[in-house]
Amino acid sequence: GNGGMYIASRDYAAKNPKVISSFLSAMAEAERFIKDPANRDEELRITLKYFRLDMPQGEAITRDSLDRWRSAISLVPDRAATQAIADYMLKTGQLQAPVNVAKLLD
């Protein structure tokens, strides 16, 4: 699936190649950091700085969620998941017209 997405127009990317390159480099470094099991405790510390579940065992639930999510993180978008998101957004009125994801990801 897809947990989040960043989109830039082709025009912006063509006019700002250093920005795009730097962004992709930073995202790749973040992915390497997250996938390295040695960084598990630091990842949890950073997450808890910005996100907490205010409930019994909230920290344990967050830690377990991060552990389950870690192996799935990828900079490469899943086309089927992205299309499913677009279709859902159309169904729920968040988009006003269908989106052909293949055109966005090519």
Side-chain angles (χ1 to χ4, degrees):
N2 286 358
M5 181 176 278
Y6 298 94
I7 297 175
S9 69
R10 285 186 175 97
D11 184 54
Y12 179 87
K15 290 179 181 177
N16 300 280
K18 287 185 178 182
V19 171
I20 298 298
S21 178
S22 295
F23 176 78
L24 291 174
S25 178
M27 294 299 286
E29 178 59 29
E31 180 179 340
R32 281 190 294 277
F33 178 86
I34 290 168
K35 285 190 170 184
D36 184 344
N39 296 323
R40 181 179 184 248
D41 291 340
E42 180 69 5
E43 178 189 4
L44 179 62
R45 187 191 68 74
I46 293 168
T47 299
L48 292 173
K49 182 176 177 181
Y50 299 100
F51 174 83
R52 288 193 175 272
L53 294 173
D54 186 20
M55 59 190 294
Q57 299 297 315
E59 187 172 318
I61 293 167
T62 300
R63 183 176 35 255
D64 183 60
S65 296
L66 290 172
D67 288 345
R68 291 170 186 257
W69 168 77
R70 186 173 294 107
S71 66
I73 189 171
S74 174
L75 281 174
V76 180
D78 179 297
R79 289 175 186 263
T82 305
Q83 188 63 60
I85 291 167
D87 294 347
Y88 175 79
M89 291 176 73
L90 179 65
K91 182 179 177 180
T92 59
Q94 297 173 69
L95 291 174
Q96 297 196 358
V99 173
N100 181 348
V101 168
K103 288 183 178 182
L104 295 174
L105 300 178
D106 288 337

